[in-house]
Every structure is written in C-alpha cells, then in structure tokens.
Amino acid sequence: MAADSVIKVLFEHEGVFIHPSSDDDGVEQDLLISGSLRIVDKDAEIMVEYKPLEDAVDPTNMLCAGKDSSSVVEWVQSSGERSHQLLESQQSYETEWDMINAVSFKKKACTNGEGSLNHSHERSRWAFTFSVSDLRSITVKQEGWTFLILKLKESSSLPPLHFHQGGSTEFLDSLRRFALLSEAPGDEMCLMISTPNKALSQSFENLLDDNNFGLVHKFRKDPYVTTLGGFSKVTNYIFDAFRGTEEQHQRPPEEVADLLGEVIPGLEINQQEEPGFEVITRIDLGTRPQVTREGPLSAEDWTKHQDQEGRMTNIPHLKHAIFKGGLCHAVRKEAWKFLLGYFPWESTLEERKALQRAKTDEYFRMKLQWKSVSEEQERRNSRLRDYRSLIEKDVNRTDRTNRFYEGIDNPGLVLLHDILMTYCMFDFDLGYVQGMSDLLSPILYVMENEVDAFWCFVSFMDQMHHNFEEQMQGMKTQLIQLSTLLRLLDLSFWNYLESQDSGYLYFCFRWLLIRFKRELSFQDVLRLWEVMWTGLPCQNFHLLVCCAILDSEKHKIMEENYGFNEILKHINELSMKLDIEEILQKSEGICVQIKSCKDLPQSISLILGFDSADCGSEQTDCGSAPALRAALRPDACSNGHLRQTSSHNSCKVAFIS
C-alpha cells in the first residue's frame, strides 16, 4: 500500500464466516474462518475487503433448557427450522440452577499455542480484496442463515460468505450506494451488478419510495415524537406534551421551547438575558490538533498484560490501547468484565472464579423471586405486572435483525427477558424503563452468558441510572453540560441554534439517553462503548462525541438555513450514517484542544475532569446536579475570566465576544 493512499471505511461488519470445504488441502474439517467484511473508499475507488480475524465466535455454543427443565439441549438452526440436540448435563457451577436457568452456553475447548498458530496460518489464506467495478453478480442463499456467493467479471471464484450473526442486508444496502443491484432474469436470488452511474439515479429514486415518504410525512405531522420516539416514563414527560389534538401538533417552536422548560424543570439554558449568568470572555482555543487512531487490541496483546496468576498488569497502558483502537471481538467477552467493573483489575484468575460462583448464586436467587410469583400474587402487584408487560413488549422489538436475536423462539430473546426481569428484583425502585433493553442487548451479545451479562449490565446501569430516573436529573444535567461545551467550542453555531429555538439541544436527547445505541450500527456501538468505558481521555467523553457529530453537521445546518423542524429532521436522519472512527478521532482532537487551553474556565475543567487536584480535596461528581451547580458557580475560579452578574440560585454560563 502506498504511503499516500487515502482510505475511508464506508461499511464494516465482523462475524462473517467462510466454511472451508473438505476438498481444501490442510484445512481442519470443523474449522470456520471468522472475518471482517469492509467496503472502503481507497483513492476514490470503491473496494470490498475480507480479512480473517484472530478468533471466531462459535455459532454452536448456545444452549437452552429442555422442556422438562432437567436437561440441556443445543439450539441449532438448519434449513430455517430449529432443531435440538440433547447434550450431557451442564458441568459447571450453574448446574444446580438448571431448573430456572432458561438458557446457557457450552464451554469452548481450550487450544494450546501450537493450534492457534496453525489456525492463524490457515486464516491468512482467505483474505481477499477486489474493486466493486470488477463485481459481476451476487447470489443470495439461505441455510438457516444468509450466505452470499460473489462472482467477479474475470470468472474468479471467491469463497461464499456466511452471515451467521446477520449483516447481509446491511452489506447489500451499503453496496447499493455505489452500484445498481438488480435481479437476474429467471433467477430472483441472483443480483446483477451494474455501473455506478446507473446506481446514482436509482439511489435518487429510492428517496421517493413509500417507506421514506411515510417517515417524512410522519415527521412533518409530529416531528418531536418521531425524533425522540420510543421510550416511556422518562421520555413520556416530553412526548405527552406533544401528543393530543391537532392544535398541539401545530405548536410553533417558541411554544415547544416553553413546554420543554415545563417538563424538564431547570433546563433554561438559552435565556442569556436572565440574571444569574456568569460571563466568560470568548476564548481562543487555538488550532485543533490532528490525532490518529490505531488498530484493535489483539488477543495476544491482551494476554501479555496478565501475570502468571492472571492479574492484569500495566493497566494504564492497556486502557490507553483500548481507547485508541478498541478490542478485537475475541477479547471482548473477558475485557468488558474489567472495563465495566465486574472483575477487579487486580484480581487473580482464582479470585475471579470464586466471584463468578458467588455472583451466580446471587443472580439465580433473585431470578427465583420473580419466577416463583404466582398468577394470583401478580394480579395484586401492579408494578411487577407493568414491568413484565413492558419488558415483553420491548424484548420482541430489540435488535431483531441481529442474528443473535432474530427468529421465533430465539433463546437470546428469552435471556434478554429474564435478565431484565431479574434486574427489577435487583433495583425495584427503578424497575424497568424503555431504553434499558437497548443497553443490555450488546452486552448479552458479547457475553453469551446470562449471569455475566446481568452483572455487566448492573455495572453499566450504575453509570446510566440517572438517565432513567423519573425526575430526569441526569438528562437535564447532561444537556446543560453539552450546551456549555458547545458554546465554548463554537459560539456562532450555538447562537444559530438558539435563534432557531433549538438551544436546548433536545435533538441530542436520544444520543445521551442510550449512548448512541440507535444512531450507530451494532458493531460500531460495541466499539464506541468499550472506548468510553476506559474513562479516557476525560470525564464525560460522550459529551465530546456529541460535539464532534454536531461539528461535522454544523455547516450544512447553517448553510441550508435549517429551522426548528429541519434541524430535528436532519439529526434524526443521521442514524446509521455515522463513521465511528471519524467521530472518535474528532472527539479526541476536541479533548486535546480544550485541555491545551491555558485560560480554560473552571466550569469546563470540572465538566471534563481536568485539574481535579486544583479543585480542592472534595471529590466532585460532575454527573450530579450539585456538582454541576458548583462547576457553574461564578466564584469557583479566580483566573479573572468569570464574574457574578447577580446573586441567583441557578447560575449559568454566558459566552460573549
């Protein structure tokens, strides 16, 4: 590859398998090659790349309880139908809980280093790259999952690509951006590939199809619910204000802003005339530095950070490597437990095994609590009844296009349901709120284990709990903090949003509520979350991710003179179109730019956790309302850039030129 080559990743999906045939020399009979499929723009040429990964996800390791709950059976899909294969009783510390353990997973056999080297050598044979212009046809077939047969114009044969965990539709949809895919005469399963210029006109026609028109029509009628849509208890405070009569749907932007102020008390972040603001002279942040990303941390590199007893070593270096490049999928199942705090970093392997045994007992005792509730009892427990109803409703529509959750009677859905019900026993005050299934789904997908997924989810909810509380304090705090950061980074853009009655930044509500889960592809969500869980390079890094996305979109919003509804619509349509590596690169650059500022206001430092030693001995949680008020207090800093305009209980920040 030339040093000056420019490569932009347009699509990427891990967990794409190649099934070597028995005719391939030197290939183990049962070996499956797991790899990453990408569409990239390399020097203005669209290329398709397949690269084998260092490890594979075993698609046969899912187990579910037999109907008599006394045996464990393997869940397999063949020819679109589910078949069960009876296995021996599960030999683990979960065995005694089999009566209430709906789903579990087989333990993978361990291989020594020699086998790993052989596998690595075999996988290297299967990498390939070709230009989209060289692609002749794609045949779509089903075998319990979708697999694609790609044929090139030179009649070169490529191995079929098996999408065990979904993603074939997304791959074809991405390909349609650069080529026209049309059914071959007489074979509806074969897609012929045409030239890019025809694809361009076809893409334009697709903008006018019924589905897109329906979305636009729905948005025009009720843009607020369409944008924020889908969560109860927390978001119903907002949605209820926008539902009702046709007159309510036609509210002008200024009335909507007033409504938001009513349903989220204290969110007056765009009233600069109000007394109580501290005034900050516009600050020159200097040029934003260019930062680079690295490749994901490999299984080999992860192992190098363990001592003989299994303790993790050189943890700061390890976290930095994860922040800069994320993790290869083979490492996630173990690494996420450390990143989320389920496993202590300093624990030995034996200590972690003991912890898992104790946590398994604790989990199933809580699960037994709701499992043993009779119908008569539940009729007199409205809260439990409501939780169960809401969970069942949400589980049936969570990530159903993902292979792990698709299909009828998928045991992944049973796990999702049972973990969320058990969480209600763990935290009955909060219970279940819509949106929590979105946070659990990727964790369960990675863990492939009910108990580990639950405790990792508990740790994640410890971070996200305030987002789902009834008073919405966490959401209010984050929106205020985000507004403060955006005004520092680009006052003119923030002023434009304010002029369009969008200064509340409520269009970022869904981003913050479930950490971009609905905005990114499933694989990109995994990458973003593991990067954020490192705690680097600052506190509240997710707010800088918001700033990075808005920074990329501000020119279009301002140049097109988007108003209130157009801004909502534009932000809503960014879903599944964002480049995670580009976003992370820009977010890190923004962080470095802010941190390098010599005269940074104390309020900004506290939001991002800079100079914590200068803030006194008291530990400050910038995610809480008292901490935010302290961060915005005019006398919190003596660097001459802040002054109090008047005494007021709700101090805010105003940036002036």
Side-chain angles (χ1 to χ4, degrees), residues 457-618:
F457 176 64
V458 166
S459 297
F460 194 19
M461 281 302 300
D462 287 345
Q463 303 175 27
M464 303 294 290
H465 196 283
H466 58 275
N467 280 15
F468 297 94
E469 293 167 357
E470 207 161 323
Q471 298 303 315
M472 301 181 69
Q473 184 61 58
M475 293 303 300
K476 177 175 69 175
T477 297
Q478 290 174 86
L479 287 169
I480 294 174
Q481 291 174 328
L482 178 57
S483 178
T484 303
L485 291 169
L486 187 61
R487 279 178 285 180
L488 172 72
L489 291 167
D490 197 323
L491 181 59
S492 61
F493 179 49
W494 189 89
N495 283 335
Y496 177 83
L497 294 176
E498 152 68 6
S499 71
Q500 302 301 323
D501 294 288
S502 297
Y504 288 103
L505 307 180
Y506 44 78
F507 47 80
C508 299
F509 190 92
R510 190 172 68 184
W511 296 1
L512 298 171
L513 185 70
I514 53 174
R515 288 297 189 269
F516 309 95
K517 172 62 168 55
R518 301 275 184 95
E519 320 311 318
L520 302 168
S521 69
F522 197 84
Q523 294 298 320
D524 283 354
V525 169
L526 305 185
R527 173 72 74 239
L528 174 64
W529 285 6
E530 63 199 14
V531 166
M532 292 195 299
W533 290 337
T534 64
L536 300 175
C538 62
Q539 289 180 179
N540 292 313
F541 182 64
H542 67 286
L543 298 180
L544 298 186
V545 173
C546 294
C547 291
I549 298 173
L550 294 175
D551 183 75
S552 298
E553 302 301 321
K554 65 182 180 182
H555 295 298
K556 184 173 183 63
I557 290 173
M558 296 171 70
E559 289 172 3
E560 298 290 335
N561 197 29
Y562 282 169
F564 180 83
N565 286 355
E566 290 82 7
I567 293 172
L568 281 172
K569 179 175 182 290
H570 178 72
I571 295 299
N572 189 64
E573 291 177 344
L574 293 177
S575 178
M576 302 302 157
K577 298 177 182 177
L578 299 171
D579 185 329
I580 185 59
E581 290 300 322
E582 179 181 316
I583 291 169
L584 288 172
Q585 190 174 24
K586 179 172 287 189
S587 303
E588 184 183 357
I590 291 173
C591 180
V592 176
Q593 181 186 26
I594 294 177
K595 194 170 185 178
S596 300
C597 180
K598 296 180 179 179
D599 299 318
L600 193 65
Q602 189 75 359
S603 56
I604 302 296
S605 295
L606 286 174
I607 290 174
L608 299 179
F610 298 153
D611 301 325
S612 57
D614 298 332
C615 297
S617 58
E618 181 180 350

Side-chain angles (χ1 to χ4, degrees), residues 63-130:
L63 307 180
C64 58
K67 292 184 179 180
D68 60 359
S69 295
S70 62
S71 60
V72 180
V73 295
E74 183 175 5
W75 190 77
V76 183
Q77 280 196 338
S78 179
S79 301
E81 298 180 358
R82 188 176 67 152
S83 61
H84 290 87
Q85 301 173 2
L86 187 63
L87 302 176
E88 296 180 359
S89 296
Q90 194 175 6
Q91 299 299 317
S92 74
Y93 48 79
E94 298 179 10
T95 304
E96 60 186 291
W97 293 106
D98 277 346
M99 291 296 291
I100 58 171
N101 187 9
V103 181
S104 187
F105 293 84
K106 290 192 302 184
K107 306 297 182 183
K108 296 181 182 179
C110 295
T111 59
N112 57 27
E114 181 179 353
S116 300
L117 288 175
N118 289 337
H119 287 183
S120 178
H121 174 71
E122 292 301 331
R123 291 189 183 99
S124 65
R125 295 173 46 186
W126 303 101
F128 60 79
T129 302
F130 62 84

